[in-house]
Amino acid sequence: QLVESGGGLVLARGSLRPSCGASGRTFSSYHIGWFRQAPGGERESVAAIIWSGGITSYADSVKGRFTISRDNAKNTVELLMNSLKPEDTAVYYCAADESYTRVRGRAGYWGQGTQVTVSS
């Protein structure tokens, strides 16, 4: 089970650090992705990290502003979001999969999402 937390309301150019937590001893064997879905829009991949944390990937729209990291001892993955823009407003979801390709697209396991709102 994946549970997101740490969303909220922030002013433009501010920062947030949503977190994704999971139960179970197999968390460290899964790749994790963050997605977002804005009102009226499609769900899009934002960032992903392999099971060990050694490889990460980012959407072009967030490169240089967002950083994904994980702590397998704590079963958590964080998404540090800096220099936020109003267009980053969306529901943010974390997802898990055993495939690094699927975790950036059609992941097998999903959290319920956390709202991020960036005000100008």
Side-chain angles (χ1 to χ4, degrees):
Q1 181 180 3
L2 301 173
V3 179
E4 301 94 338
S5 61
L9 173 65
V10 65
L11 293 175
R13 296 182 295 280
S15 299
L16 280 175
R17 192 196 299 258
S19 179
C20 174
S23 57
R25 295 182 295 173
T26 60
F27 175 81
S28 61
S29 65
Y30 285 86
H31 312 304
I32 303 294
W34 279 97
F35 293 74
R36 66 186 180 187
Q37 187 167 18
E42 294 188 353
R43 189 173 294 184
E44 63 172 343
S45 174
V46 173
I49 188 166
I50 68 167
W51 68 274
S52 65
I55 296 175
T56 58
S57 60
Y58 298 92
D60 287 343
S61 58
V62 306
K63 278 182 182 177
R65 299 189 298 123
F66 290 13
T67 302
I68 187 171
S69 62
R70 68 189 297 162
D71 184 338
N72 287 336
K74 297 180 179 179
N75 281 7
T76 58
V77 173
E78 291 187 339
L79 184 67
L80 175 60
M81 306 189 297
N82 292 324
S83 302
L84 283 162
K85 306 174 182 179
E87 51 264 43
D88 293 317
T89 294
V91 178
Y92 283 71
Y93 300 87
C94 69
D97 205 284
E98 294 171 314
S99 161
Y100 193 57
T101 297
R102 286 198 302 268
V103 87
R104 291 171 291 170
R106 301 176 68 84
Y109 304 96
W110 293 86
Q112 294 301 306
T114 184
Q115 176 69 46
V116 171
T117 302
V118 184
S119 172
S120 58

